[in-house]
Structure formats: structure tokens, C-alpha cells
Amino acid sequence: MLFVAASILLAFLVTLGSARWLTLHATARSASSQVMLAALSFPLVALALFVVAVCVALISMSRGPDLPGQSEGMPIFAAVFFLIYAWAIGAIVGLPTAIVAVRMFRPG
């Protein structure tokens, strides 16, 4: 349960920070563009972590498995489920947060 709460909080904070940055530095963009970019921030962070996790799994397994029958498939399989979970959290938490944050931070 702690993992779910931490990931929801992280999605909220990443989206909030992204909305703040976009409203300060990308002022020429429309509000809907800022909302979509802010909402995509957490899924993009999750995608970057996924790429790092897959690379680490492949590199560590290229040295040879620690245990007989161990392969790089299971860590990558777990990372895929983490990625899907992060995208769902990003959609459920990130989109409403982005809408409210852009409205709150946008001048005028």
C-alpha cells in the first residue's frame, strides 16, 4: 500500500512541477498544450526508468546468471508491468492534476 501512495504522490509532484515549469517557460503554448505536456511528464519519467531498468537487466545478465536457469526475461517482464502501472497512475492522477495546476499557474 505504501508503494501505491508513494507513486501517487510522485505522480502528483512531477505533474505539478511540470505544469509550473511549462506555465513559466512555455508561455506561447496554449493552455491545452500545456495540460497535455504536463500530464505526459510522469509517464515519460516512468518510460525513462523503464529503459534504464531494461538496460541494467540486460547488462547484468550478459555477465552470466547468478543462479542456474536465471535469465533477463523476468526483470524485464516486471519492468513492463511497472511501466503499465505508471501509465495508469499517470492517467488517473496526472491528467486531473495537470488540468488544475495549469489553470492555477497560468496568468490571466
Side-chain angles (χ1 to χ4, degrees):
M1 193 62 163
L2 182 62
F3 178 74
V4 174
S7 59
I8 288 172
L9 180 64
L10 185 63
F12 176 77
L13 292 175
V14 167
T15 305
L16 194 67
S18 177
R20 181 69 179 153
W21 188 88
L22 284 166
T23 55
L24 288 176
H25 298 290
T27 56
R29 292 189 176 270
S30 66
S32 61
S33 172
Q34 289 175 340
V35 166
M36 288 311 295
L37 289 172
L40 283 174
S41 63
F42 183 71
L44 290 176
V45 167
L47 183 63
L49 289 174
F50 171 75
V51 169
V52 169
V54 168
C55 289
V56 166
L58 291 175
I59 289 169
S60 69
M61 295 310 283
S62 68
R63 296 180 308 199
D66 294 335
L67 300 171
Q70 190 178 19
S71 71
E72 65 275 352
M74 195 60 198
I76 293 173
F77 185 71
V80 168
F81 277 102
F82 166 74
L83 184 64
I84 293 169
Y85 168 78
W87 284 347
I89 292 293
I92 294 168
V93 175
L95 190 57
T97 302
I99 292 169
V100 171
V102 167
R103 284 184 183 171
M104 185 174 65
F105 294 138
R106 197 169 165 89

